Structure formats: structure tokens, C-alpha cells
Amino acid sequence: MAEGLIMAFDSTQQALRAEMLLEYGEVDIDTRPTPKEITAGCALSIEFPKEQLEQVQRIIHDEKVEIKGIYYKTDDRYVAIN
């Protein structure tokens, strides 16, 4: 997958729940370690294509998944989009 957006979490439970829901929603995801530049309580993050942002946000909102944030990478840092 080309580099997309990163969703970070404060708990592993929420990360695993989001992974299951997004896969069920047919979102193209990769589970990966949380980049060290993103301070989060969970070592797992989910990367997904920016083209699927609205779908991801809808699933996260509808299913009440708790996230730390969604980020995109600039040249030298990660920036939150929400």
C-alpha cells in the first residue's frame, strides 16, 4: 500500500476492534506499529488509503470506536487531521 493515513489508538482493544470493523467494511488496511512521532497509548496503528477517509470516519463514528486521532505525514512529522 502506498503511504496513506494513520489511525492511532489509546488502547490495543480499540485498535483490534477497529481492525475487525474496517476489514468487515472492506477498507484496505495495514496494521503497523505506531510511529514514534505519534504519542499514543497503543503500539498498534492502522494505515489506510486517504481515498477511504470518509468511509473510515463513518465506521469509527457509527461503531463508537475510541481513537487517538488520524494523521498524515508531511516531510518530517505527522499532523492530525481531526
Side-chain angles (χ1 to χ4, degrees), residues 12-50:
T12 303
Q13 178 184 4
Q14 293 297 311
L16 295 175
R17 185 166 170 251
E19 178 183 31
M20 178 197 62
L21 292 166
L22 294 173
E23 285 178 345
Y24 183 76
E26 299 184 356
V27 176
D28 183 24
I29 63 169
D30 282 331
T31 304
R32 55 174 281 185
T34 301
K36 65 181 188 301
E37 299 88 356
I38 299 174
T39 304
C42 176
L44 292 176
S45 289
I46 294 176
E47 185 172 6
F48 61 92
K50 61 184 170 210

Side-chain angles (χ1 to χ4, degrees), residues 43-59:
L44 292 176
S45 289
I46 294 176
E47 185 172 6
F48 61 92
K50 61 184 170 210
E51 296 80 23
Q52 291 187 296
L53 175 60
E54 286 184 29
Q55 181 182 4
V56 168
Q57 288 176 318
R58 185 174 47 254
I59 292 169

Side-chain angles (χ1 to χ4, degrees), residues 55-70:
Q55 181 182 4
V56 168
Q57 288 176 318
R58 185 174 47 254
I59 292 169
I60 295 306
H61 176 266
D62 291 351
E63 298 297 331
K64 297 176 178 50
V65 178
E66 297 174 19
I67 67 170
K68 171 77 174 179
I70 298 175

